[in-house]
Amino acid sequence: MELKEIRPIQNTENPVQTVLVPGSKSITNRALLLAVMGEGKSSLSGCLFSDDSRYFLRCVQDLGFETNVEEGQKRIDVTGLGGRTPVKQASIYVGSAGTAARFLAAYLACNEGAFFLDASEQMRRRPMEPLLHALESVGAEIVCTDQAGHFPMRITGHGIRTDHVTVDIDESSQFLSALLIAAPLSGRELTIDVKGSHGMAYIDMTVRMMEQFGVRVLRPFEKRFVIPGGQRYRALTYQVEPDASSASYFWALAAINGLTVTVPHLHFTSLQGDVTFAHLLAEMGCEVEDQPQGICVTGPQNGRLKGVTVDMHSFSDQAITLAAIAPFADGEVEITGIGHIRHQESDRIAAIVENLTAMGIEAHETADGVCIKPGNAHAAVIETHEDHRLAMGFAVTGTRIPGIVIQNPDCCRKTFEEYFTVLDALTAEIEG
């Protein structure tokens, strides 16, 4: 098994650093589908190229869409057909990409044609049933060929045959995002009612991006979305923001090592809810500024953060990052509102407790989160469970504690394939 030992930061000759991070996965994948549904050629710049986005892109190509891809320039050109698919029968493989799995399932179910969708073993374990129920209610025929409510599946779409649908998003906000993006295929007004409240920051992102691509969304009530009829997405030249999730690891590194780290081109006005993590670090004692260049975080010089109780349901991808720096707080750190992350790439709550315990830090699960008591962390091997966020989050701990070893570091390819290269280079630069 491949292992990666993290190099602790021993001295800080160059404590002020700028870190470039890749484009946002969430924005890249949304922009790709919105471009597919637009009329004409869209050019997407600043795109993320990772396992997830490549799976999404390959699915688009397997559906027959014309694309031009320049990875070196981080650019994708795609020619949309106004919502139609070039082919009416196809097989696609979404890998472990949750956005591709949910968004493309909805797009195809709300279109016309017969499609077979398969996924990795990891994605086959992740929930799909609430979305599938909603898609069946709009008129799609869906047959799960292995386990009910999971990949693989056959989807036969007949267009959207209703003006109202309800979806439960307690397990994933992507179910609602998928339906919202597909809604204009109806041609008439569609009302979507929502059960649950998970991940509304991602819903806000989806709605804002739909509007950027030319489709208006109304929200007469908190749990109701109305997409007026007669709307179509337009082709755009579109710039993808840097990834706030990726930025958060380097802000966290600054927080526990008394450093200053700026991530360019990322601001508090971002489409991404994960910029909230920077505000959380301010609450924990860091100096946080939105400068013209980008968001800048400076950690306390003593490396000691304030304990905090925080509901992270709206930026739950950073729960692992907070847990990884919790040992350096001056009081208990309690994370709530994240029960759904038990069903992501791994059981993330159990994995947080497992890895902190391995480091000698007291942690226990709660009904919807985790409670962590600071302490003297020691060397440990981090079990990543093939989960990129566990690898990246606990690598931050290793910049402070000697002997932190990451199992299977290549799992970071899912969203940030050069993460450890960037981390090593930053550590070397800091130490002069």
Side-chain angles (χ1 to χ4, degrees):
M1 177 181 292
E2 187 177 357
L3 301 173
K4 168 70 178 178
E5 185 166 358
I6 306 303
R7 176 183 173 185
I9 296 172
Q10 303 289 352
N11 57 66
T12 54
E13 292 186 13
N14 298 293
V16 180
Q17 294 292 320
T18 297
V19 180
L20 295 173
V21 301
S24 163
K25 178 187 75 169
S26 297
I27 295 178
T28 296
N29 287 344
R30 282 167 173 78
L32 184 56
L33 182 55
L34 291 166
V36 160
M37 295 181 66
E39 188 71 61
K41 182 178 178 180
S42 290
S43 293
L44 313 179
S45 302
C47 298
L48 171 70
F49 285 93
S50 67
D51 280 356
D52 274 14
S53 59
R54 289 190 185 99
Y55 278 124
F56 205 131
L57 179 59
R58 176 59 62 86
C59 289
V60 165
Q61 293 167 336
D62 288 344
L63 288 169
F65 287 96
E66 179 184 341
T67 64
N68 179 57
V69 181
E70 299 178 20
E71 284 206 18
Q73 286 68 47
K74 304 185 186 307
R75 174 175 167 174
I76 302 172
D77 297 333
V78 58
T79 301
L81 299 176
R84 303 181 306 279
T85 56
V87 299
K88 298 303 179 186
Q89 290 187 326
S91 294
I92 61 173
Y93 181 77
V94 302
S96 296
T99 45
R102 280 72 181 259
F103 290 8
L104 290 173
Y107 169 62
L108 296 174
C110 295
N111 232 293
E112 294 186 359
F115 305 95
F116 180 75
L117 288 71
D118 202 358
S120 68
E121 287 300 321
Q122 185 186 70
M123 188 63 222
R124 287 185 180 194
R125 294 191 295 269
R126 295 177 67 183
M128 285 287 292
E129 191 167 16
L131 176 61
L132 301 185
H133 284 325
L135 296 176
E136 287 173 331
S137 76
V138 305
E141 300 172 48
I142 301 173
V143 177
C144 296
T145 59
D146 187 1
Q147 181 182 356
H150 294 268
F151 282 92
M153 65 187 67
R154 299 188 185 278
I155 295 178
T156 303
H158 303 287
I160 298 176
R161 294 181 168 182
T162 183
D163 59 6
H164 180 269
V165 61
T166 299
V167 63
D168 188 328
I169 63 169
D170 271 338
E171 293 179 301
S172 175
S173 66
Q174 290 176 352
F175 302 156
L176 175 55
S177 285
L179 288 169
L180 285 167
I181 293 172
L185 293 171
S186 169
R188 60 183 184 274
E189 183 172 286
L190 180 66
T191 298
I192 304 175
D193 283 335
V194 182
K195 295 179 180 178
S197 59
H198 163 59
M200 295 310 292
Y202 288 100
I203 302 306
D204 293 340
M205 174 195 294
T206 297
V207 169
R208 288 172 66 183
M209 290 186 66
M210 289 172 65
E211 292 175 345
Q212 289 172 337
F213 277 81
V215 169
R216 188 166 48 103
V217 179
L218 308 179
R219 194 173 180 182
F221 308 109
E222 181 183 0
K223 296 292 185 71
R224 172 167 288 181
F225 296 79
V226 178
I227 302 87
Q231 300 189 88
R232 286 290 179 264
Y233 296 112
R234 61 173 179 260
L236 283 185
T237 298
Y238 192 84
Q239 179 68 45
V240 174
E241 293 180 2
D243 185 55
S245 297
S246 298
S248 296
Y249 302 116
F250 298 100
W251 293 331
L253 179 149
I256 63 172
N257 288 289
L259 304 171
T260 296
V261 171
T262 300
V263 177
H265 314 304
L266 194 59
H267 299 278
F268 290 158
T269 55
S270 167
L271 291 167
Q272 302 167 75
D274 274 4
V275 295
T276 305
F277 188 74
H279 296 292
L280 175 60
L281 291 177
E283 186 179 341
M284 297 179 74
C286 297
E287 181 180 338
V288 180
E289 297 180 276
D290 190 351
Q291 300 177 345
Q293 184 183 7
I295 296 174
C296 176
V297 173
T298 301
Q301 289 305 300
N302 64 1
R304 183 61 64 184
L305 302 170
K306 297 177 182 177
V308 66
T309 296
V310 55
D311 183 338
M312 296 188 73
H313 78 276
S314 65
F315 58 118
S316 59
D317 276 349
Q318 292 312 307
I320 291 171
T321 317
L322 177 57
I325 62 175
F328 312 109
D330 62 8
E332 193 171 85
V333 172
E334 183 174 3
I335 307 171
T336 67
I338 58 169
H340 61 279
I341 73 172
R342 290 188 173 95
H343 309 291
Q344 294 186 307
E345 284 85 341
S346 67
D347 180 340
R348 287 178 170 170
I349 294 177
I352 285 170
V353 172
E354 173 190 11
N355 285 305
L356 286 174
T357 301
M359 284 187 240
I361 300 297
E362 184 179 343
H364 66 269
E365 295 190 34
T366 63
D368 68 341
V370 62
C371 190
I372 303 161
K373 291 187 177 180
N376 295 316
H378 56 65
V381 176
I382 301 301
E383 173 55 67
T384 62
H385 300 282
E386 302 286 329
D387 190 331
H388 57 132
R389 300 220 179 276
L390 288 166
M392 292 188 283
F394 281 106
V396 174
T397 316
T399 66
R400 178 84 178 263
I401 301 299
I404 298 297
V405 177
I406 307 296
Q407 287 186 352
N408 187 26
D410 278 352
C411 65
C412 294
R413 290 178 57 87
K414 181 175 174 67
T415 52
F416 192 169
E417 61 188 11
E418 296 179 350
Y419 175 76
F420 286 106
T421 300
V422 174
L423 181 63
D424 288 345
L426 177 64
T427 300
E429 178 64 25
I430 289 167
E431 294 191 338

